[in-house]
Amino acid sequence: LAQKRADERTAPASLTKMMTVLLAIETEPDLDKQVTLPEDIFPALQTEKASMAGFVPDETVTVRDLLYGAMLPSGAECCEALAQLVSGSEENFAALMNQKAAALGMASTHFCNPTGLHDPEHVSTARDMARLLRAAMQNEMFRRIFATARYTVPPTNLHPDGFTLESTFWSELDGTELRRGKFLGGKTGYTSAAGLCLASAGKPQHRALPRR
């Protein structure tokens, strides 16, 4: 419907996590698979002051928990754990991300990590992010996660009572509605280099034609 500076390359911040979640869903069909978050991913994320979902080192959770943790509260530890699960390392996963980006026609995008933490070579455009989200919304599980406002993590070895994850998109929306439609979901992001970022999807509500 409209565009402005659609092809200007910039840092995509946590919008990156849409690609991470989509790839993890596509490559790991067993969402109940148990994954232990490795201790060595945490120090660098804490140094970078990355957004976290609330999981802790050596906690064992399911792939499903990690997917919701990556998307809703934008948990960087979830993205790193998913990257290691899928590809064995962040570097290998970034290569997979770039292969997927090329397949989707995201010609101006280059990923360096699964989190969106700043790297001068980690870039995308508004047009490419729209392409990514359009493709991701074709995946039923991605749509379900994208549309979720809250998700309760079941009890784990280090959170015996479980805990609740909340979507940054739905919480910041704070009841705002589309004038003639409804939101299907969204992903927020922020770094000092990228500024405030948002990718969201909506559905128009068609008004009935007057009868004659």
Side-chain angles (χ1 to χ4, degrees):
L1 297 178
Q3 59 180 302
K4 182 177 182 180
R5 294 158 58 187
D7 296 305
E8 181 177 311
R9 298 183 92 185
T10 188
S14 286
L15 303 192
T16 299
K17 293 165 185 170
M18 296 190 299
M19 176 64 88
T20 300
V21 168
L22 177 61
L23 281 176
I25 293 171
E26 291 181 340
T27 56
E28 182 48 70
D30 183 6
L31 300 188
D32 293 315
K33 185 174 184 176
Q34 297 285 304
V35 181
T36 299
L37 285 88
E39 187 173 353
D40 60 7
I41 67 174
F42 285 86
L45 296 177
Q46 291 163 348
T47 299
E48 293 284 341
K49 296 182 179 179
S51 56
M52 307 288 268
F55 297 108
V56 296
D58 297 324
E59 186 165 10
T60 299
V61 301
T62 65
V63 171
R64 180 182 287 100
D65 297 334
L66 294 176
L67 293 172
Y68 279 97
M71 184 67 73
L72 272 58
S74 211
E77 80 276 31
C78 302
C79 297
E80 292 289 349
L82 289 168
Q84 291 200 16
L85 172 68
V86 171
S87 300
S89 71
E90 182 182 86
E91 182 180 5
N92 290 341
F93 190 76
L96 187 64
M97 296 171 78
N98 288 320
Q99 290 174 16
K100 182 70 172 181
L104 294 176
M106 299 168 64
S108 299
T109 294
H110 182 262
F111 294 115
C112 297
N113 59 64
T115 61
L117 287 172
H118 182 65
D119 184 300
E121 295 184 6
H122 190 102
V123 293
S124 189
T125 65
R127 189 187 306 279
D128 280 0
M129 285 291 112
R131 284 195 177 102
L132 169 59
L133 181 52
R134 188 176 298 116
M137 290 295 282
Q138 303 306 307
N139 184 288
E140 181 181 357
M141 188 63 201
F142 183 95
R143 288 199 310 273
R144 187 180 308 166
I145 297 170
F146 197 66
T148 299
R150 292 178 182 82
Y151 171 79
T152 299
V153 177
T156 74
N157 60 321
L158 297 177
H159 279 101
D161 297 322
F163 63 100
T164 299
L165 306 172
E166 294 195 2
S167 164
T168 56
F169 171 74
W170 291 109
S171 61
E172 291 177 15
L173 203 59
D174 195 27
T176 301
E177 297 180 355
L178 291 176
R179 183 180 176 190
R180 294 178 181 171
K182 67 175 183 177
F183 284 109
L184 299 177
K187 180 76 193 76
T188 63
Y190 175 80
T191 64
S192 56
L196 293 168
C197 303
L198 172 65
S200 59
K203 180 180 180 180
Q205 289 181 341
H206 299 289
R207 292 183 296 175
L209 294 175
R211 293 181 179 180
R212 294 185 178 180

